[in-house]
Amino acid sequence: ELRMSVFALGGQAQFWPLVTMFLRNRSIIVIFAKLDELLEEFKHGKKTQGDNEISALTELTVWLDAASSATTDGPILLVLTHADRVHSQDDRHLVSQRLDMLLQQRGDGVLQRLVKPPASNLLFFAVDNTRSIEDAGVQSLRTVLQSTAEHSESVKQLVPLPLRLLQDVVSSVAHPPQTDQGKAEQQQFRAVDSVAIEQAIRCVRQRRNASSTSSLPYIELSDLAELYAACTSQPQVSLDDREFRVYVDFLHLQGAITHFNTPELDS
Protein backbone atom coordinates (compact mmCIF):
# COMPACT_ATOMS: atom_id res chain seq x y z
CA GLU A 1 0.00 0.00 0.00
CA LEU A 2 1.30 3.44 -0.97
CA ARG A 3 0.22 6.39 1.17
CA MET A 4 0.82 9.93 -0.01
CA SER A 5 0.44 13.15 1.98
CA VAL A 6 -0.50 16.08 -0.24
CA PHE A 7 0.29 19.66 0.75
CA ALA A 8 -1.62 22.12 -1.47
CA LEU A 9 0.24 25.36 -0.80
CA GLY A 10 -1.86 27.83 -2.79
CA GLY A 11 -0.53 30.18 -5.41
CA GLN A 12 -1.32 33.53 -3.84
CA ALA A 13 1.59 35.80 -2.93
CA GLN A 14 0.61 35.90 0.76
CA PHE A 15 1.44 32.19 1.02
CA TRP A 16 4.91 32.44 -0.51
CA PRO A 17 6.80 32.91 2.80
CA LEU A 18 5.29 29.64 4.07
CA VAL A 19 6.20 27.48 1.08
CA THR A 20 9.69 26.37 2.12
CA MET A 21 8.39 25.16 5.50
CA PHE A 22 6.65 22.24 3.80
CA LEU A 23 9.30 21.19 1.28
CA ARG A 24 11.60 18.23 1.92
CA ASN A 25 14.25 16.45 -0.08
CA ARG A 26 11.92 13.44 -0.04
CA SER A 27 9.01 15.44 -1.40
CA ILE A 28 7.68 15.13 -4.91
CA ILE A 29 7.32 18.79 -5.84
CA VAL A 30 4.62 19.60 -8.40
CA ILE A 31 4.63 23.18 -9.69
CA PHE A 32 1.59 24.53 -11.53
CA ALA A 33 1.38 27.46 -13.94
CA LYS A 34 -0.96 28.55 -16.74
CA LEU A 35 0.20 27.60 -20.20
CA ASP A 36 -1.71 30.35 -21.98
CA GLU A 37 -0.31 33.08 -19.73
CA LEU A 38 3.27 31.88 -20.11
CA LEU A 39 2.85 31.71 -23.88
CA GLU A 40 1.52 35.27 -24.00
CA GLU A 41 4.42 36.49 -21.89
CA PHE A 42 7.06 34.65 -23.89
CA LYS A 43 5.60 35.90 -27.17
CA HIS A 44 4.68 39.47 -26.31
CA GLY A 45 5.98 40.19 -22.84
CA LYS A 46 2.42 40.79 -21.70
CA LYS A 47 1.02 40.10 -18.27
CA THR A 48 -2.29 38.27 -18.46
CA GLN A 49 -3.08 38.08 -14.76
CA GLY A 50 -6.03 40.48 -14.76
CA ASP A 51 -5.87 42.66 -11.66
CA ASN A 52 -2.83 40.78 -10.38
CA GLU A 53 0.37 42.78 -10.86
CA ILE A 54 2.50 39.63 -10.74
CA SER A 55 3.23 37.96 -14.07
CA ALA A 56 2.87 34.24 -14.68
CA LEU A 57 6.63 33.91 -15.21
CA THR A 58 7.37 35.74 -11.96
CA GLU A 59 5.07 33.41 -10.04
CA LEU A 60 6.69 30.38 -11.65
CA THR A 61 10.13 31.72 -10.73
CA VAL A 62 9.07 32.11 -7.09
CA TRP A 63 8.09 28.44 -6.91
CA LEU A 64 11.30 27.36 -8.65
CA ASP A 65 13.30 29.46 -6.18
CA ALA A 66 11.48 27.84 -3.25
CA ALA A 67 12.15 24.34 -4.58
CA SER A 68 15.84 24.98 -5.20
CA SER A 69 16.47 26.82 -1.92
CA ALA A 70 14.62 24.41 0.39
CA THR A 71 15.66 21.13 -1.29
CA THR A 72 18.73 19.80 -3.03
CA ASP A 73 17.30 16.51 -4.23
CA GLY A 74 14.03 14.88 -5.21
CA PRO A 75 11.81 14.93 -8.28
CA ILE A 76 10.09 18.05 -9.61
CA LEU A 77 7.13 17.96 -12.00
CA LEU A 78 6.01 20.99 -13.97
CA VAL A 79 2.30 21.11 -14.86
CA LEU A 80 0.90 23.77 -17.18
CA THR A 81 -2.87 24.09 -17.04
CA HIS A 82 -5.41 25.59 -19.46
CA ALA A 83 -3.90 23.65 -22.35
CA ASP A 84 -7.36 23.82 -23.91
CA ARG A 85 -6.51 27.45 -24.70
CA VAL A 86 -3.26 26.56 -26.47
CA HIS A 87 -3.93 23.93 -29.15
CA SER A 88 -0.90 24.64 -31.32
CA GLN A 89 1.95 22.18 -30.78
CA ASP A 90 4.34 24.83 -32.07
CA ASP A 91 3.23 27.18 -29.28
CA ARG A 92 3.62 24.45 -26.68
CA HIS A 93 7.12 23.68 -27.92
CA LEU A 94 7.94 27.39 -27.82
CA VAL A 95 7.00 27.53 -24.14
CA SER A 96 9.00 24.37 -23.45
CA GLN A 97 12.08 25.75 -25.21
CA ARG A 98 11.90 29.05 -23.35
CA LEU A 99 11.51 27.22 -20.04
CA ASP A 100 14.49 25.05 -20.92
CA MET A 101 16.58 28.17 -21.55
CA LEU A 102 15.40 29.69 -18.27
CA LEU A 103 16.24 26.58 -16.25
CA GLN A 104 19.64 26.23 -17.88
CA GLN A 105 20.46 29.84 -17.03
CA ARG A 106 19.45 29.28 -13.41
CA GLY A 107 22.05 26.54 -13.01
CA ASP A 108 20.56 25.35 -9.71
CA GLY A 109 19.93 21.75 -10.72
CA VAL A 110 16.16 22.07 -11.13
CA LEU A 111 16.37 21.14 -14.82
CA GLN A 112 18.15 17.88 -13.96
CA ARG A 113 15.47 17.04 -11.38
CA LEU A 114 12.53 17.54 -13.73
CA VAL A 115 10.44 14.45 -14.42
CA LYS A 116 9.19 14.83 -17.97
CA PRO A 117 6.09 13.34 -19.58
CA PRO A 118 6.76 10.00 -21.28
CA ALA A 119 6.95 9.98 -25.08
CA SER A 120 7.03 13.77 -25.20
CA ASN A 121 9.60 16.42 -26.05
CA LEU A 122 8.00 18.87 -23.62
CA LEU A 123 9.36 19.75 -20.20
CA PHE A 124 5.87 19.94 -18.75
CA PHE A 125 2.59 18.07 -18.45
CA ALA A 126 -0.07 19.92 -20.45
CA VAL A 127 -3.48 19.71 -18.75
CA ASP A 128 -6.79 20.49 -20.42
CA ASN A 129 -9.00 22.08 -17.76
CA THR A 130 -12.23 21.20 -19.58
CA ARG A 131 -11.77 17.42 -19.58
CA SER A 132 -10.99 16.67 -15.95
CA ILE A 133 -9.95 13.02 -15.41
CA GLU A 134 -10.62 12.18 -19.05
CA ASP A 135 -7.76 14.42 -20.15
CA ALA A 136 -4.70 12.54 -21.42
CA GLY A 137 -2.43 15.02 -19.64
CA VAL A 138 -4.10 14.36 -16.29
CA GLN A 139 -3.92 10.60 -16.81
CA SER A 140 -0.23 10.81 -17.73
CA LEU A 141 0.45 12.99 -14.69
CA ARG A 142 -1.27 10.50 -12.35
CA THR A 143 0.68 7.58 -13.82
CA VAL A 144 4.02 9.36 -13.53
CA LEU A 145 3.28 10.54 -9.97
CA GLN A 146 2.47 6.96 -8.95
CA SER A 147 5.60 5.60 -10.58
CA THR A 148 7.80 8.35 -9.16
CA ALA A 149 6.49 7.75 -5.65
CA GLU A 150 6.93 3.98 -5.91
CA HIS A 151 10.58 4.40 -6.91
CA SER A 152 11.40 7.13 -4.40
CA GLU A 153 13.95 6.71 -1.64
CA SER A 154 11.23 7.14 0.98
CA VAL A 155 9.44 4.01 -0.20
CA LYS A 156 12.61 1.96 -0.53
CA GLN A 157 13.99 2.82 2.89
CA LEU A 158 13.59 0.30 5.70
CA VAL A 159 12.47 1.87 8.99
CA PRO A 160 12.10 0.42 12.51
CA LEU A 161 8.60 -0.82 13.31
CA PRO A 162 8.14 1.59 16.27
CA LEU A 163 8.91 4.52 13.96
CA ARG A 164 6.47 3.31 11.34
CA LEU A 165 3.93 2.73 14.10
CA LEU A 166 4.45 6.25 15.45
CA GLN A 167 3.86 7.69 11.99
CA ASP A 168 0.57 5.80 11.75
CA VAL A 169 -0.47 6.91 15.24
CA VAL A 170 0.26 10.59 14.51
CA SER A 171 -1.80 10.29 11.34
CA SER A 172 -4.70 8.77 13.27
CA VAL A 173 -4.64 11.68 15.73
CA ALA A 174 -4.86 14.16 12.88
CA HIS A 175 -7.35 12.11 10.85
CA PRO A 176 -9.38 9.72 13.02
CA PRO A 177 -10.82 6.82 10.98
CA GLN A 178 -14.50 7.38 10.29
CA THR A 179 -15.50 3.94 9.02
CA ASP A 180 -15.47 0.50 10.64
CA GLN A 181 -13.12 -0.70 7.93
CA GLY A 182 -10.70 2.13 8.63
CA LYS A 183 -10.76 1.40 12.34
CA ALA A 184 -10.20 -2.30 11.71
CA GLU A 185 -7.23 -1.60 9.40
CA GLN A 186 -5.76 0.73 11.99
CA GLN A 187 -6.07 -1.83 14.76
CA GLN A 188 -4.68 -4.59 12.58
CA PHE A 189 -1.50 -2.63 12.01
CA ARG A 190 -0.92 -1.96 15.70
CA ALA A 191 0.56 -5.17 16.95
CA VAL A 192 2.52 -3.49 19.75
CA ASP A 193 0.66 -2.88 23.03
CA SER A 194 -2.49 -1.56 21.39
CA VAL A 195 -4.12 -0.71 24.74
CA ALA A 196 -1.35 1.72 25.75
CA ILE A 197 -1.36 3.31 22.31
CA GLU A 198 -5.13 3.80 22.27
CA GLN A 199 -5.00 5.34 25.73
CA ALA A 200 -2.25 7.76 24.65
CA ILE A 201 -4.26 8.73 21.57
CA ARG A 202 -7.37 9.40 23.68
CA CYS A 203 -5.41 11.58 26.10
CA VAL A 204 -3.86 13.63 23.31
CA ARG A 205 -7.24 14.09 21.60
CA GLN A 206 -8.90 15.15 24.87
CA ARG A 207 -6.23 17.79 25.48
CA ARG A 208 -6.55 19.04 21.92
CA ASN A 209 -10.35 19.23 22.11
CA ALA A 210 -10.16 21.12 25.42
CA SER A 211 -7.66 23.61 24.03
CA SER A 212 -8.78 27.01 22.76
CA THR A 213 -6.73 26.33 19.62
CA SER A 214 -8.18 22.87 18.96
CA SER A 215 -9.13 23.87 15.42
CA LEU A 216 -5.50 24.47 14.50
CA PRO A 217 -3.65 21.52 12.91
CA TYR A 218 -0.78 21.21 15.35
CA ILE A 219 0.33 18.94 18.14
CA GLU A 220 2.47 19.77 21.16
CA LEU A 221 5.90 18.19 21.32
CA SER A 222 4.99 16.79 24.75
CA ASP A 223 1.98 15.05 23.17
CA LEU A 224 4.23 13.59 20.50
CA ALA A 225 6.56 12.32 23.23
CA GLU A 226 3.61 10.60 24.93
CA LEU A 227 2.65 8.86 21.71
CA TYR A 228 6.28 7.89 21.14
CA ALA A 229 6.52 6.38 24.63
CA ALA A 230 3.42 4.27 23.99
CA CYS A 231 4.75 3.07 20.62
CA THR A 232 8.10 2.09 22.15
CA SER A 233 6.61 0.59 25.35
CA GLN A 234 8.23 3.13 27.67
CA PRO A 235 6.56 4.68 30.73
CA GLN A 236 7.60 8.19 29.74
CA VAL A 237 10.10 10.00 27.55
CA SER A 238 11.99 13.24 28.04
CA LEU A 239 11.67 15.89 25.33
CA ASP A 240 15.46 15.89 25.12
CA ASP A 241 15.69 12.13 24.63
CA ARG A 242 18.12 11.61 21.77
CA GLU A 243 16.27 8.75 20.06
CA PHE A 244 12.96 10.59 20.38
CA ARG A 245 14.53 13.58 18.64
CA VAL A 246 15.77 11.33 15.85
CA TYR A 247 12.21 10.05 15.39
CA VAL A 248 10.84 13.62 15.33
CA ASP A 249 13.38 14.63 12.67
CA PHE A 250 12.51 11.57 10.60
CA LEU A 251 8.76 12.26 10.78
CA HIS A 252 9.49 15.79 9.60
CA LEU A 253 11.63 14.49 6.76
CA GLN A 254 8.85 12.09 5.74
CA GLY A 255 6.28 14.89 5.75
CA ALA A 256 4.17 13.31 8.51
CA ILE A 257 4.69 16.46 10.60
CA THR A 258 6.26 19.86 10.14
CA HIS A 259 8.61 20.52 13.04
CA PHE A 260 10.59 23.72 13.45
CA ASN A 261 13.80 22.81 15.23
CA THR A 262 14.39 26.26 16.71
CA PRO A 263 14.17 27.42 20.36
CA GLU A 264 11.18 29.66 19.59
CA LEU A 265 9.05 27.03 17.81
CA ASP A 266 10.47 23.74 19.06
CA SER A 267 7.63 22.71 21.38
Side-chain angles (χ1 to χ4, degrees), residues 4-5 10 42 56 68 95 101 103 105 109 122 128 130 165 181 189 192 202 214 228 237-238 257 259:
M4 301 178 69
S5 298
F42 285 143
S68 62
V95 172
M101 291 173 55
L103 294 174
Q105 292 170 359
L122 301 177
D128 184 333
T130 67
L165 181 60
Q181 180 180 356
F189 181 77
V192 184
R202 282 195 299 271
S214 59
Y228 166 81
V237 173
S238 166
I257 62 172
H259 175 245

Side-chain angles (χ1 to χ4, degrees), residues 160-163 166 221 224-225 228-229 231-234 237-251:
L161 179 59
L163 177 54
L166 178 61
L221 190 64
L224 193 59
Y228 166 81
C231 292
T232 55
S233 301
Q234 300 182 55
V237 173
S238 166
L239 298 186
D240 297 323
D241 182 87
R242 185 173 180 274
E243 185 173 295
F244 169 61
R245 286 296 190 165
V246 170
Y247 276 38
V248 171
D249 289 343
F250 187 84
L251 290 179

Side-chain angles (χ1 to χ4, degrees), residues 76-117:
I76 299 175
L77 284 71
L78 184 58
V79 181
L80 300 191
T81 63
H82 295 81
D84 47 289
R85 301 177 183 175
V86 182
H87 298 288
S88 169
Q89 291 299 319
D90 289 340
D91 284 341
R92 296 186 182 189
H93 281 286
L94 170 64
V95 172
S96 184
Q97 291 167 3
R98 294 293 296 272
L99 289 175
D100 184 72
M101 291 173 55
L102 171 68
L103 294 174
Q104 288 191 45
Q105 292 170 359
R106 290 173 62 90
D108 54 8
V110 169
L111 182 60
Q112 289 70 34
R113 295 168 58 185
L114 275 186
V115 179
K116 305 172 187 177

